[in-house]
Amino acid sequence: MPSWEALAAFAVTSVIIIAIPGPSVLFVIGRSLSSGRRAGLLSVVGNELGALPLVAAVALGVGTVVAQSILLFTAIKLAGAAYLVYLGVQAIRHRRDHAMVATSGQPPASSWQSLRQGFIVGVTNPKTIVFFVAALPQFVDIHAGAVATQMMILGLTFTLIAWACDSVWALAAGTARAWFATSGERLSALRAAGGTMMIGLAGALALTSNKAA
């Protein structure tokens, strides 16, 4: 297990990194704006669950191979970008459907759908791989026990902090969306804005370098 000093230093580093809006935050905001707080919070949970396989992969050494392989890295980031484009287009195409749901009391998208979409975005986020590969080893003490175990603990710590911070973004964006719920037209426009944000995020991810910044 990493020392308490290393764990505290990593937690501070994680908070600083997570506080800067990145792909996960923009995705969560887009989902909250287009589908509401519940969908946004479930997307956060799915997103962080998607980060767990990345933590395990990096801890076991696979993440380093992926980050150093242009072909694998490109395949992952393009898959994630394509999925975000799909979600964004769907949000824009069905923007009026959700306006009707909000005003008619019909049930929103299922919990499983929100979790699944968040998981896919989380597990295909190339920046998460790069961050884990670049940051986790910096806080490992080879004399403090199994390196893989230490990296798993650090990765789980990052995931929990990200869950807490991203949930705040989801609640804030979902609350802003609620202000528009009394107008179907305004809600449709907001959903379209959320879809456009996800498409823009896809473009940013597609241009992500495999070098840690």
Side-chain angles (χ1 to χ4, degrees):
M1 178 175 177
S3 67
W4 289 110
E5 292 80 5
L7 197 58
F10 179 77
V12 171
T13 301
S14 297
V15 170
I16 294 174
I17 294 297
I18 294 169
I20 302 173
S24 294
V25 169
L26 294 179
F27 168 70
V28 167
I29 291 176
R31 289 296 289 166
S32 296
L33 289 177
S34 63
S35 301
R37 282 177 293 187
R38 178 175 175 275
L41 290 172
L42 287 172
S43 296
V44 171
V45 174
N47 205 314
E48 305 315 328
L49 288 176
L52 296 182
L54 302 182
V55 173
V58 171
L60 296 175
V62 177
T64 302
V65 176
V66 173
Q68 293 178 350
S69 169
I70 295 178
L71 180 60
L72 287 176
F73 187 88
T74 300
I76 289 175
K77 73 176 183 180
L78 290 181
Y83 189 68
L84 280 172
V85 169
Y86 168 77
L87 293 180
V89 170
Q90 288 296 101
I92 294 173
R93 284 185 58 196
H94 300 288
R95 61 189 181 277
R96 296 188 183 277
D97 295 350
H98 265 251
M100 294 175 63
V101 167
T103 56
S104 66
Q106 297 177 8
S110 69
S111 300
W112 166 247
Q113 183 180 21
S114 296
L115 285 171
R116 175 174 56 81
Q117 292 174 347
F119 179 87
I120 293 175
V121 171
V123 80
T124 58
N125 186 350
K127 287 190 175 182
T128 302
I129 297 176
V130 172
F131 173 76
F132 284 161
V133 171
L136 294 187
Q138 311 303 321
F139 297 88
V140 169
D141 182 355
I142 60 175
H143 302 295
V147 171
T149 300
Q150 293 185 61
M151 294 180 73
M152 286 290 290
I153 293 173
L154 292 171
L156 290 174
T157 299
F158 178 90
T159 301
L160 290 173
I161 294 174
W163 168 76
C165 293
D166 290 354
S167 293
V168 173
W169 284 105
L171 289 171
T175 299
R177 177 184 183 274
W179 294 342
F180 291 81
T182 55
S183 170
E185 288 300 320
R186 283 181 294 177
L187 191 57
S188 294
L190 196 62
R191 179 165 168 76
T196 301
M197 181 179 294
M198 282 187 274
I199 294 175
L201 172 57
L205 281 180
L207 298 176
T208 301
S209 169
N210 67 327
K211 302 298 183 181

mmCIF file of all heavy atoms in Angstrom, residues 90-126:
data_model
loop_
_atom_site.group_PDB
_atom_site.id
_atom_site.type_symbol
_atom_site.label_atom_id
_atom_site.label_comp_id
_atom_site.label_asym_id
_atom_site.label_seq_id
_atom_site.Cartn_x
_atom_site.Cartn_y
_atom_site.Cartn_z
ATOM 1 N N GLN A 90 -27.828 11.665 -31.783
ATOM 2 C CA GLN A 90 -29.090 11.164 -31.243
ATOM 3 C C GLN A 90 -29.774 12.224 -30.382
ATOM 4 O O GLN A 90 -31.004 12.379 -30.418
ATOM 5 C CB GLN A 90 -28.839 9.899 -30.410
ATOM 6 C CG GLN A 90 -28.475 8.679 -31.233
ATOM 7 C CD GLN A 90 -29.595 8.247 -32.153
ATOM 8 O OE1 GLN A 90 -29.583 8.522 -33.347
ATOM 9 N NE2 GLN A 90 -30.590 7.584 -31.609
ATOM 10 N N ALA A 91 -28.977 12.942 -29.593
ATOM 11 C CA ALA A 91 -29.540 13.989 -28.739
ATOM 12 C C ALA A 91 -30.179 15.092 -29.575
ATOM 13 O O ALA A 91 -31.246 15.608 -29.239
ATOM 14 C CB ALA A 91 -28.456 14.571 -27.832
ATOM 15 N N ILE A 92 -29.515 15.457 -30.682
ATOM 16 C CA ILE A 92 -30.051 16.509 -31.544
ATOM 17 C C ILE A 92 -31.286 16.016 -32.291
ATOM 18 O O ILE A 92 -32.309 16.714 -32.372
ATOM 19 C CB ILE A 92 -28.976 16.982 -32.537
ATOM 20 C CG1 ILE A 92 -27.829 17.672 -31.772
ATOM 21 C CG2 ILE A 92 -29.570 17.942 -33.562
ATOM 22 C CD1 ILE A 92 -26.640 18.027 -32.636
ATOM 23 N N ARG A 93 -31.225 14.797 -32.806
ATOM 24 C CA ARG A 93 -32.355 14.253 -33.573
ATOM 25 C C ARG A 93 -33.613 14.123 -32.720
ATOM 26 O O ARG A 93 -34.722 14.353 -33.184
ATOM 27 C CB ARG A 93 -31.986 12.876 -34.132
ATOM 28 C CG ARG A 93 -31.049 12.890 -35.329
ATOM 29 C CD ARG A 93 -30.851 11.497 -35.859
ATOM 30 N NE ARG A 93 -32.140 10.889 -36.229
ATOM 31 C CZ ARG A 93 -32.304 9.582 -36.438
ATOM 32 N NH1 ARG A 93 -31.288 8.755 -36.279
ATOM 33 N NH2 ARG A 93 -33.495 9.117 -36.792
ATOM 34 N N HIS A 94 -33.412 13.733 -31.453
ATOM 35 C CA HIS A 94 -34.565 13.471 -30.585
ATOM 36 C C HIS A 94 -34.749 14.567 -29.536
ATOM 37 O O HIS A 94 -35.287 14.304 -28.459
ATOM 38 C CB HIS A 94 -34.392 12.115 -29.899
ATOM 39 C CG HIS A 94 -34.292 10.971 -30.866
ATOM 40 N ND1 HIS A 94 -35.359 10.495 -31.583
ATOM 41 C CD2 HIS A 94 -33.226 10.219 -31.241
ATOM 42 C CE1 HIS A 94 -34.971 9.486 -32.351
ATOM 43 N NE2 HIS A 94 -33.676 9.303 -32.169
ATOM 44 N N ARG A 95 -34.307 15.761 -29.858
ATOM 45 C CA ARG A 95 -34.387 16.843 -28.877
ATOM 46 C C ARG A 95 -35.832 17.149 -28.481
ATOM 47 O O ARG A 95 -36.110 17.457 -27.328
ATOM 48 C CB ARG A 95 -33.717 18.100 -29.420
ATOM 49 C CG ARG A 95 -34.329 18.661 -30.702
ATOM 50 C CD ARG A 95 -33.463 19.771 -31.279
ATOM 51 N NE ARG A 95 -34.035 20.344 -32.489
ATOM 52 C CZ ARG A 95 -33.888 19.819 -33.698
ATOM 53 N NH1 ARG A 95 -33.184 18.701 -33.833
ATOM 54 N NH2 ARG A 95 -34.422 20.399 -34.753
ATOM 55 N N ARG A 96 -36.761 17.023 -29.397
ATOM 56 C CA ARG A 96 -38.166 17.314 -29.093
ATOM 57 C C ARG A 96 -38.822 16.163 -28.341
ATOM 58 O O ARG A 96 -39.800 16.376 -27.628
ATOM 59 C CB ARG A 96 -38.933 17.620 -30.374
ATOM 60 C CG ARG A 96 -38.422 18.879 -31.074
ATOM 61 C CD ARG A 96 -39.323 19.279 -32.226
ATOM 62 N NE ARG A 96 -38.769 20.446 -32.915
ATOM 63 C CZ ARG A 96 -38.938 21.692 -32.509
ATOM 64 N NH1 ARG A 96 -39.652 21.940 -31.425
ATOM 65 N NH2 ARG A 96 -38.386 22.708 -33.175
ATOM 66 N N ASP A 97 -38.284 14.960 -28.491
ATOM 67 C CA ASP A 97 -38.834 13.825 -27.750
ATOM 68 C C ASP A 97 -38.689 14.052 -26.257
ATOM 69 O O ASP A 97 -39.608 13.818 -25.485
ATOM 70 C CB ASP A 97 -38.112 12.529 -28.139
ATOM 71 C CG ASP A 97 -38.363 12.159 -29.596
ATOM 72 O OD1 ASP A 97 -39.232 12.802 -30.218
ATOM 73 O OD2 ASP A 97 -37.688 11.245 -30.090
ATOM 74 N N HIS A 98 -37.529 14.538 -25.858
ATOM 75 C CA HIS A 98 -37.319 14.762 -24.436
ATOM 76 C C HIS A 98 -38.100 15.966 -23.939
ATOM 77 O O HIS A 98 -38.442 16.048 -22.768
ATOM 78 C CB HIS A 98 -35.822 14.932 -24.135
ATOM 79 C CG HIS A 98 -35.168 13.663 -23.704
ATOM 80 N ND1 HIS A 98 -34.745 13.449 -22.424
ATOM 81 C CD2 HIS A 98 -34.912 12.525 -24.389
ATOM 82 C CE1 HIS A 98 -34.222 12.242 -22.331
ATOM 83 N NE2 HIS A 98 -34.312 11.656 -23.509
ATOM 84 N N ALA A 99 -38.378 16.898 -24.808
ATOM 85 C CA ALA A 99 -39.228 18.020 -24.398
ATOM 86 C C ALA A 99 -40.612 17.500 -24.077
ATOM 87 O O ALA A 99 -41.257 17.927 -23.115
ATOM 88 C CB ALA A 99 -39.287 19.063 -25.513
ATOM 89 N N MET A 100 -41.105 16.546 -24.867
ATOM 90 C CA MET A 100 -42.415 15.960 -24.620
ATOM 91 C C MET A 100 -42.414 15.147 -23.332
ATOM 92 O O MET A 100 -43.365 15.163 -22.561
ATOM 93 C CB MET A 100 -42.815 15.082 -25.806
ATOM 94 C CG MET A 100 -43.052 15.853 -27.102
ATOM 95 S SD MET A 100 -43.364 14.767 -28.501
ATOM 96 C CE MET A 100 -44.884 13.972 -27.956
ATOM 97 N N VAL A 101 -41.300 14.428 -23.095
ATOM 98 C CA VAL A 101 -41.201 13.639 -21.863
ATOM 99 C C VAL A 101 -41.265 14.538 -20.646
ATOM 100 O O VAL A 101 -41.940 14.258 -19.660
ATOM 101 C CB VAL A 101 -39.879 12.836 -21.849
ATOM 102 C CG1 VAL A 101 -39.610 12.271 -20.458
ATOM 103 C CG2 VAL A 101 -39.955 11.685 -22.860
ATOM 104 N N ALA A 102 -40.543 15.667 -20.710
ATOM 105 C CA ALA A 102 -40.483 16.566 -19.553
ATOM 106 C C ALA A 102 -41.834 17.179 -19.247
ATOM 107 O O ALA A 102 -42.139 17.492 -18.100
ATOM 108 C CB ALA A 102 -39.456 17.674 -19.823
ATOM 109 N N THR A 103 -42.671 17.358 -20.281
ATOM 110 C CA THR A 103 -43.944 18.015 -20.046
ATOM 111 C C THR A 103 -45.099 17.049 -19.890
ATOM 112 O O THR A 103 -46.176 17.429 -19.487
ATOM 113 C CB THR A 103 -44.256 18.976 -21.209
ATOM 114 O OG1 THR A 103 -44.228 18.229 -22.443
ATOM 115 C CG2 THR A 103 -43.228 20.093 -21.286
ATOM 116 N N SER A 104 -44.873 15.755 -20.211
ATOM 117 C CA SER A 104 -45.962 14.780 -20.139
ATOM 118 C C SER A 104 -45.833 13.813 -18.984
ATOM 119 O O SER A 104 -46.717 13.016 -18.738
ATOM 120 C CB SER A 104 -46.019 13.984 -21.448
ATOM 121 O OG SER A 104 -44.853 13.197 -21.591
ATOM 122 N N GLY A 105 -44.677 13.843 -18.290
ATOM 123 C CA GLY A 105 -44.488 12.963 -17.147
ATOM 124 C C GLY A 105 -44.098 11.545 -17.521
ATOM 125 O O GLY A 105 -44.082 10.653 -16.683
ATOM 126 N N GLN A 106 -43.756 11.283 -18.812
ATOM 127 C CA GLN A 106 -43.320 9.970 -19.218
ATOM 128 C C GLN A 106 -41.934 9.701 -18.665
ATOM 129 O O GLN A 106 -41.156 10.615 -18.427
ATOM 130 C CB GLN A 106 -43.313 9.871 -20.747
ATOM 131 C CG GLN A 106 -44.693 10.035 -21.361
ATOM 132 C CD GLN A 106 -44.621 9.998 -22.879
ATOM 133 O OE1 GLN A 106 -43.578 9.700 -23.442
ATOM 134 N NE2 GLN A 106 -45.722 10.315 -23.519
ATOM 135 N N PRO A 107 -41.565 8.414 -18.469
ATOM 136 C CA PRO A 107 -40.267 8.091 -17.898
ATOM 137 C C PRO A 107 -39.129 8.445 -18.853
ATOM 138 O O PRO A 107 -39.277 8.301 -20.072
ATOM 139 C CB PRO A 107 -40.342 6.574 -17.679
ATOM 140 C CG PRO A 107 -41.372 6.108 -18.661
ATOM 141 C CD PRO A 107 -42.376 7.218 -18.727
ATOM 142 N N PRO A 108 -37.995 8.920 -18.328
ATOM 143 C CA PRO A 108 -36.840 9.250 -19.164
ATOM 144 C C PRO A 108 -36.093 7.987 -19.572
ATOM 145 O O PRO A 108 -36.559 6.890 -19.346
ATOM 146 C CB PRO A 108 -35.993 10.130 -18.235
ATOM 147 C CG PRO A 108 -36.313 9.619 -16.872
ATOM 148 C CD PRO A 108 -37.775 9.224 -16.919
ATOM 149 N N ALA A 109 -34.925 8.184 -20.157
ATOM 150 C CA ALA A 109 -34.105 7.046 -20.567
ATOM 151 C C ALA A 109 -33.805 6.159 -19.367
ATOM 152 O O ALA A 109 -33.697 6.627 -18.238
ATOM 153 C CB ALA A 109 -32.810 7.554 -21.201
ATOM 154 N N SER A 110 -33.644 4.866 -19.630
ATOM 155 C CA SER A 110 -33.437 3.912 -18.548
ATOM 156 C C SER A 110 -32.105 4.138 -17.851
ATOM 157 O O SER A 110 -31.167 4.700 -18.415
ATOM 158 C CB SER A 110 -33.487 2.487 -19.094
ATOM 159 O OG SER A 110 -32.353 2.228 -19.911
ATOM 160 N N SER A 111 -32.034 3.677 -16.600
ATOM 161 C CA SER A 111 -30.794 3.783 -15.832
ATOM 162 C C SER A 111 -29.679 3.007 -16.518
ATOM 163 O O SER A 111 -28.530 3.457 -16.584
ATOM 164 C CB SER A 111 -31.012 3.246 -14.414
ATOM 165 O OG SER A 111 -32.013 3.968 -13.745
ATOM 166 N N TRP A 112 -30.024 1.830 -17.037
ATOM 167 C CA TRP A 112 -29.020 0.996 -17.687
ATOM 168 C C TRP A 112 -28.426 1.699 -18.900
ATOM 169 O O TRP A 112 -27.225 1.638 -19.142
ATOM 170 C CB TRP A 112 -29.639 -0.336 -18.099
ATOM 171 C CG TRP A 112 -28.792 -1.124 -19.058
ATOM 172 C CD1 TRP A 112 -29.074 -1.418 -20.360
ATOM 173 C CD2 TRP A 112 -27.495 -1.693 -18.794
ATOM 174 N NE1 TRP A 112 -28.054 -2.135 -20.921
ATOM 175 C CE2 TRP A 112 -27.063 -2.313 -19.994
ATOM 176 C CE3 TRP A 112 -26.671 -1.720 -17.679
ATOM 177 C CZ2 TRP A 112 -25.847 -2.976 -20.090
ATOM 178 C CZ3 TRP A 112 -25.450 -2.381 -17.787
ATOM 179 C CH2 TRP A 112 -25.049 -3.003 -18.957
ATOM 180 N N GLN A 113 -29.268 2.382 -19.665
ATOM 181 C CA GLN A 113 -28.783 3.087 -20.852
ATOM 182 C C GLN A 113 -27.791 4.179 -20.477
ATOM 183 O O GLN A 113 -26.735 4.320 -21.105
ATOM 184 C CB GLN A 113 -29.959 3.686 -21.617
ATOM 185 C CG GLN A 113 -29.555 4.376 -22.919
ATOM 186 C CD GLN A 113 -30.745 4.960 -23.651
ATOM 187 O OE1 GLN A 113 -31.794 5.195 -23.051
ATOM 188 N NE2 GLN A 113 -30.600 5.196 -24.940
ATOM 189 N N SER A 114 -28.113 4.951 -19.444
ATOM 190 C CA SER A 114 -27.209 6.023 -19.016
ATOM 191 C C SER A 114 -25.901 5.459 -18.486
ATOM 192 O O SER A 114 -24.819 5.979 -18.775
ATOM 193 C CB SER A 114 -27.889 6.873 -17.937
ATOM 194 O OG SER A 114 -29.021 7.532 -18.448
ATOM 195 N N LEU A 115 -25.989 4.373 -17.707
ATOM 196 C CA LEU A 115 -24.782 3.740 -17.179
ATOM 197 C C LEU A 115 -23.922 3.181 -18.307
ATOM 198 O O LEU A 115 -22.697 3.349 -18.316
ATOM 199 C CB LEU A 115 -25.156 2.614 -16.209
ATOM 200 C CG LEU A 115 -25.646 3.030 -14.829
ATOM 201 C CD1 LEU A 115 -26.192 1.816 -14.078
ATOM 202 C CD2 LEU A 115 -24.523 3.673 -14.018
ATOM 203 N N ARG A 116 -24.569 2.520 -19.253
ATOM 204 C CA ARG A 116 -23.840 1.894 -20.364
ATOM 205 C C ARG A 116 -23.124 2.945 -21.204
ATOM 206 O O ARG A 116 -21.951 2.782 -21.559
ATOM 207 C CB ARG A 116 -24.802 1.089 -21.230
ATOM 208 C CG ARG A 116 -24.161 0.496 -22.490
ATOM 209 C CD ARG A 116 -25.141 -0.407 -23.228
ATOM 210 N NE ARG A 116 -26.372 0.288 -23.549
ATOM 211 C CZ ARG A 116 -26.519 1.107 -24.584
ATOM 212 N NH1 ARG A 116 -25.492 1.349 -25.399
ATOM 213 N NH2 ARG A 116 -27.686 1.694 -24.834
ATOM 214 N N GLN A 117 -23.816 4.024 -21.516
ATOM 215 C CA GLN A 117 -23.203 5.068 -22.324
ATOM 216 C C GLN A 117 -22.036 5.720 -21.588
ATOM 217 O O GLN A 117 -20.983 5.987 -22.176
ATOM 218 C CB GLN A 117 -24.251 6.108 -22.705
ATOM 219 C CG GLN A 117 -25.299 5.578 -23.673
ATOM 220 C CD GLN A 117 -26.420 6.561 -23.933
ATOM 221 O OE1 GLN A 117 -26.565 7.550 -23.215
ATOM 222 N NE2 GLN A 117 -27.217 6.292 -24.961
ATOM 223 N N GLY A 118 -22.221 5.977 -20.288
ATOM 224 C CA GLY A 118 -21.132 6.554 -19.503
ATOM 225 C C GLY A 118 -19.932 5.625 -19.435
ATOM 226 O O GLY A 118 -18.780 6.072 -19.517
ATOM 227 N N PHE A 119 -20.187 4.322 -19.303
ATOM 228 C CA PHE A 119 -19.101 3.339 -19.225
ATOM 229 C C PHE A 119 -18.292 3.322 -20.520
ATOM 230 O O PHE A 119 -17.056 3.323 -20.482
ATOM 231 C CB PHE A 119 -19.677 1.943 -18.964
ATOM 232 C CG PHE A 119 -18.634 0.869 -18.889
ATOM 233 C CD1 PHE A 119 -17.998 0.584 -17.686
ATOM 234 C CD2 PHE A 119 -18.274 0.142 -20.018
ATOM 235 C CE1 PHE A 119 -17.018 -0.401 -17.617
ATOM 236 C CE2 PHE A 119 -17.302 -0.844 -19.957
ATOM 237 C CZ PHE A 119 -16.671 -1.121 -18.757
ATOM 238 N N ILE A 120 -18.976 3.325 -21.655
ATOM 239 C CA ILE A 120 -18.278 3.275 -22.941
ATOM 240 C C ILE A 120 -17.398 4.504 -23.123
ATOM 241 O O ILE A 120 -16.245 4.412 -23.565
ATOM 242 C CB ILE A 120 -19.287 3.147 -24.099
ATOM 243 C CG1 ILE A 120 -19.993 1.787 -24.034
ATOM 244 C CG2 ILE A 120 -18.581 3.300 -25.452
ATOM 245 C CD1 ILE A 120 -21.097 1.609 -25.050
ATOM 246 N N VAL A 121 -17.931 5.673 -22.750
ATOM 247 C CA VAL A 121 -17.134 6.898 -22.860
ATOM 248 C C VAL A 121 -15.934 6.836 -21.919
ATOM 249 O O VAL A 121 -14.821 7.219 -22.284
ATOM 250 C CB VAL A 121 -18.006 8.136 -22.546
ATOM 251 C CG1 VAL A 121 -17.141 9.393 -22.444
ATOM 252 C CG2 VAL A 121 -19.063 8.322 -23.624
ATOM 253 N N GLY A 122 -16.145 6.330 -20.698
ATOM 254 C CA GLY A 122 -15.051 6.257 -19.728
ATOM 255 C C GLY A 122 -13.955 5.295 -20.134
ATOM 256 O O GLY A 122 -12.763 5.606 -20.023
ATOM 257 N N VAL A 123 -14.326 4.130 -20.640
ATOM 258 C CA VAL A 123 -13.330 3.102 -20.952
ATOM 259 C C VAL A 123 -12.600 3.404 -22.255
ATOM 260 O O VAL A 123 -11.542 2.817 -22.517
ATOM 261 C CB VAL A 123 -13.998 1.706 -21.017
ATOM 262 C CG1 VAL A 123 -14.695 1.486 -22.358
ATOM 263 C CG2 VAL A 123 -12.986 0.599 -20.737
ATOM 264 N N THR A 124 -13.139 4.295 -23.091
ATOM 265 C CA THR A 124 -12.471 4.650 -24.342
ATOM 266 C C THR A 124 -11.839 6.040 -24.288
ATOM 267 O O THR A 124 -11.460 6.580 -25.322
ATOM 268 C CB THR A 124 -13.464 4.599 -25.535
ATOM 269 O OG1 THR A 124 -14.558 5.501 -25.282
ATOM 270 C CG2 THR A 124 -14.002 3.201 -25.744
ATOM 271 N N ASN A 125 -11.723 6.601 -23.096
ATOM 272 C CA ASN A 125 -11.137 7.934 -22.947
ATOM 273 C C ASN A 125 -9.609 7.825 -22.956
ATOM 274 O O ASN A 125 -9.011 7.380 -21.978
ATOM 275 C CB ASN A 125 -11.604 8.576 -21.643
ATOM 276 C CG ASN A 125 -11.135 10.023 -21.519
ATOM 277 O OD1 ASN A 125 -10.323 10.502 -22.307
ATOM 278 N ND2 ASN A 125 -11.635 10.712 -20.518
ATOM 279 N N PRO A 126 -8.944 8.215 -24.032
ATOM 280 C CA PRO A 126 -7.482 8.055 -24.119
ATOM 281 C C PRO A 126 -6.725 8.922 -23.123
ATOM 282 O O PRO A 126 -5.636 8.567 -22.688
ATOM 283 C CB PRO A 126 -7.175 8.456 -25.568
ATOM 284 C CG PRO A 126 -8.283 9.380 -25.940
ATOM 285 C CD PRO A 126 -9.502 8.859 -25.236
#
